[in-house]
């Protein structure tokens, strides 16, 4: 709901896919002869200072080359944000924890970022990208999990041909676990602004099974008990594995 400059704004609202479907069903039943009453009491409050939360394992060979692994801390106003994006927070935190637990010494600096305020303006993502660029950091890759805590299916790649080729070269390692989707596609909202600052960066989006995502996304059902523990584990394992492989091979071929 963005307006072209000069257009007169009309009241607009976003409702969840689930509610939109329910509304559509009612309207169809009565041949569209429905009175729909919708109340909004939202307003924009002044900005408050908030923070991204950052942790990293420093690289042993290329400490100045950074791989960001991110998800967002904030959630929509209903539900608990368990899938969106609590699951992503667990995925990314687990990726670093698993590698640390294995006593893995990364070549590159692996940095987990819990971004603040994705839902309402992406301030965490925008601020992070600007800040790291200003500090002259070298960012080579960024990975995001923000599509729910469902069984992993693969990864989508927004970058150069070399990024896609590298990630597709891992496909056979994941295939036995039915993680087989390695295609060109969207990275993620939080890591998106990095692309503006780093022309050569590869952005990677974690892609879980999407069949039930919109049963939970931005509605009251997005609660903790609707995240399956095993599926969440599998997502974390898939992301840890990808981080490990990227860390191991990226600078060998680039
Ligand atoms: Zn989200």
């Amino acid at each position: 709901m963005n307006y072209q400059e000069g257009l007169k704004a009309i009241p607009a609202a976003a409702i969840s896919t689930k509610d939109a479907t329910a509304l559509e069903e009612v309207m169809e039943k009565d041949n569209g002869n429905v009175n729909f009453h919708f109340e909004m009491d939202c307003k924009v409050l002044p900005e408050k200072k908030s923070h991204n939360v950052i942790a990293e394992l420093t690289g042993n060979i290329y400490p100045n080359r950074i791989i960001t692994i991110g998800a967002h801390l904030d959630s929509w106003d209903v539900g608990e944000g368990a899938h969106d994006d609590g699951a992503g927070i667990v995925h990314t935190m687990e990726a670093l924890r698993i590698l640390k637990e294995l006593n893995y010494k990364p070549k590159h600096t692996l940095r987990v970022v819990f971004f603040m305020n994705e839902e309402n303006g992406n301030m965490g993502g925008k601020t992070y990208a600007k800040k790291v660029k200003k500090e002259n950091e070298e960012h080579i890759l960024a990975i995001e999990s923000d599509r729910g805590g469902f069984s992993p299916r693969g990864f989508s790649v927004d970058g150069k041909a070399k990024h896609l080729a590298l990630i597709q070269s891992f496909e056979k390692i994941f295939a036995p676990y039915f993680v087989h989707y390695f295609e060109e596609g969207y990275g993620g909202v939080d890591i998106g602004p990095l692309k503006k600052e780093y022309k050569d960066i590869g952005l990677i989006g974690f892609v879980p099974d999407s069949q039930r995502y919109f049963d939970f996304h931005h509605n009251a059902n997005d609660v903790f008990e609707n995240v399956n523990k095993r599926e969440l584990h599998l997502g974390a394992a898939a992301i840890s594995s990808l981080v490990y492989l990227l860390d191991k091979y990226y600078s060998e071929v680039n």
Side-chain angles (χ1 to χ4, degrees):
M1 288 177 293
N2 292 309
Y3 281 95
Q4 225 177 309
E5 220 172 301
L7 276 184
K8 189 171 175 277
I10 56 168
I15 61 173
S16 69
T17 311
K18 198 175 160 65
D19 288 336
T21 306
L23 184 60
E24 193 177 22
E25 274 168 18
V26 171
M27 289 174 77
E28 272 172 5
K29 236 184 250 161
D30 294 332
N31 292 321
N33 196 14
V34 174
N35 284 320
F36 178 54
H37 180 79
F38 188 73
E39 254 176 52
M40 287 191 285
D41 60 358
C42 44
K43 55 182 174 242
V44 179
L45 296 170
E47 287 188 356
K48 288 269 183 211
K49 190 163 188 171
S50 193
H51 301 273
N52 292 337
V53 178
I54 299 176
E56 66 181 36
L57 288 177
T58 307
N60 283 281
I61 302 177
Y62 312 107
N64 297 327
R65 290 186 169 187
I66 293 157
I67 302 177
T68 295
I69 312 154
H72 67 85
L73 268 178
D74 61 309
S75 67
W76 206 245
D77 60 335
V78 289
E80 295 163 354
H83 277 288
D84 180 16
D85 189 19
I89 293 290
V90 172
H91 283 153
T92 51
M93 179 162 44
E94 273 293 280
L96 215 61
R97 190 197 64 80
I98 289 168
L99 295 174
K100 193 167 187 292
E101 175 107 1
L102 294 169
N103 210 13
Y104 179 67
K105 302 271 177 266
K107 294 180 179 180
H108 309 84
T109 291
L110 307 179
R111 180 186 293 164
V112 166
V113 182
F114 299 163
F115 292 97
M116 183 45 87
N117 186 20
E118 184 261 7
E119 302 287 7
N120 180 26
N122 198 23
M123 286 311 293
K126 287 176 184 164
T127 306
Y128 176 72
K130 268 194 208 129
K131 187 167 189 296
V132 296
K133 182 69 183 185
K134 207 173 149 200
E135 286 170 10
N136 258 326
E137 288 185 353
E138 185 185 356
H139 282 251
I140 53 170
L141 294 163
I143 305 164
E144 176 157 349
S145 168
D146 186 18
R147 300 188 203 184
F150 306 99
S151 284
R153 292 289 180 257
F155 297 93
S156 53
V157 184
D158 175 7
K160 302 271 183 321
K162 64 176 184 181
H163 297 119
L164 186 62
L166 179 64
I167 284 162
Q168 285 180 337
S169 74
F170 304 147
E171 201 171 331
K172 55 187 178 300
I173 303 169
F174 287 90
Y177 308 98
F178 302 104
V179 177
H180 50 73
Y181 183 87
F182 294 79
E183 303 290 337
E184 209 175 337
Y186 190 56
V189 172
D190 298 286
I191 59 173
L194 283 169
K195 206 177 170 177
K196 239 176 147 181
E197 309 292 348
Y198 297 91
K199 299 291 167 238
D200 205 41
I201 196 171
L203 305 183
I204 303 158
F206 168 66
V207 180
D209 187 286
S210 63
Q211 294 306 310
R212 289 175 295 128
Y213 188 48
F214 288 100
D215 293 350
F216 307 109
H217 183 251
H218 291 187
N219 68 57
N221 294 335
D222 192 1
V223 291
F224 196 70
E225 51 270 40
N226 283 333
V227 178
N228 180 279
K229 190 178 175 186
R230 178 64 179 164
E231 291 182 40
L232 190 64
H233 282 170
L234 292 172
I239 293 171
S240 315
S241 307
L242 182 76
V243 170
Y244 168 79
L245 290 165
L246 288 170
D247 179 57
K248 198 169 163 71
Y249 295 112
Y250 181 85
S251 287
E252 281 182 17
V253 294
N254 287 288

